[in-house]
Amino acid sequence: MTDALSPDGDEEGLADLHRILMRQLLRFTSAPLSGTTDVRLVRGVLLPPERRGITRVVLWDGRRPEGSVAYDVPLIHPRGDNIPWTHLVAALRQVLVHPPVPDDTDPVGIPLADARRHILDALDQVTFELGDALHASVLMVHPQDVPDGSGHLRLDGFLLQDDATARLYVTAPDTAGPFGLDVSLHDLNGQVRVGNTALMAALPSLVPDELDVNRSPAVDPYAPAGVYDFTHW
C-alpha cells in the first residue's frame, strides 16, 4: 500500500488530530455509524504504527469480531489543511455505502482497506445528519479541549425542539440556575450544519451580559433562569 498520501507535519499535532477523531467516534460503538440492514458499528480507533497522519477505524456488526474491517482515514488534506472531524465522520459514512475492498491486513490480522482517496473524494460532497449537528452544537458550550468544570459555561442537558432546533441547558457563574439556549441546527440555506463558529466565539461575552436582548417567551421548567433565542445566529 502506498504512503503517497501520508502528510508531513508535527508528530504531536498529528497525534492530537487522531485523538480528537477518536473521541468523536466513541459514540458509534453502540449506535451505527452507517447502515440500516448491514449495520456498521465502531469496534476500535487506532493509531497505525507504520503510517503517519492516519487514523485507523475498525468496524464490525457488533457480534462477530472475525467480520471486522479496518479503514485507514486521512487526517490531513494533501494541500496541507487539517480535515475537520465533522467532515471525516460524514465522509466515512458516505464511503461506507460502497466501501473499498480490503487488500491488506493490519498488524493483528484484521482485513485492512486504504480509504484515504475515497474519503478525500467524498469531502467534495459531504452531507451531515441531525446527530452530527446536535453533537457539534453541544461542543459550542462544552469544547472538547476544556476540562470538565473549568470553562465559563457548563452544559447540564439538551432537548431537541424539532428537527432544526436544539435547546441547550446551561449554567454560568453569574446566573441563577440553569437557562435554556435555543440554537439552530440548520444554516441559512436550510441545510444541516455542524458548527457555528461565530456563536461559539461570541457566547462567553453574550452570557450573561447580552441574554436579556435575546429572551424568548418560552417557559421551561428545566430552565428556571429563562430561555434565550440564539437561532438567528
Side-chain angles (χ1 to χ4, degrees), residues 56-191:
R56 183 162 292 159
V57 183
V58 183
L59 302 179
W60 67 327
D61 62 4
R63 299 185 303 275
R64 301 176 302 105
E66 65 274 13
S68 301
V69 177
Y71 297 92
D72 277 357
V73 174
L75 298 172
I76 302 289
H77 198 280
R79 61 175 175 261
D81 303 331
N82 295 353
I83 305 173
W85 66 263
T86 49
H87 290 61
L88 282 175
V89 170
L92 179 56
R93 184 187 294 126
Q94 289 179 216
V95 167
L96 291 174
V97 174
H98 299 290
V101 176
D103 61 359
D104 203 345
T105 56
D106 85 330
V108 297
I110 299 173
L112 175 62
D114 188 348
R116 291 176 294 171
R117 179 59 62 192
H118 299 76
I119 293 290
L120 294 173
D121 290 343
L123 289 173
D124 294 333
Q125 50 187 359
V126 69
T127 57
F128 302 103
E129 297 180 353
L130 183 61
D132 301 326
L134 178 60
H135 194 70
S137 71
V138 164
L139 291 180
M140 288 195 298
V141 175
H142 186 68
Q144 55 201 3
D145 57 350
V146 176
D148 188 34
S150 65
H152 175 68
L153 305 177
R154 298 177 67 176
L155 182 70
D156 292 327
F158 67 90
L159 183 66
L160 287 171
Q161 301 300 296
D162 50 44
D163 64 357
T165 308
R167 181 166 298 164
L168 309 180
Y169 296 92
V170 178
T171 55
D174 299 321
T175 57
F179 56 91
L181 293 181
D182 285 352
V183 297
S184 176
L185 304 179
H186 287 184
D187 62 22
L188 295 177
N189 297 316
Q191 300 298 310

Side-chain angles (χ1 to χ4, degrees), residues 26-45:
L26 279 170
R27 60 192 166 117
F28 298 111
T29 56
S30 57
L33 172 64
S34 74
T36 52
T37 55
D38 185 15
V39 171
R40 294 178 178 89
L41 303 175
V42 173
R43 180 186 172 199
V45 182

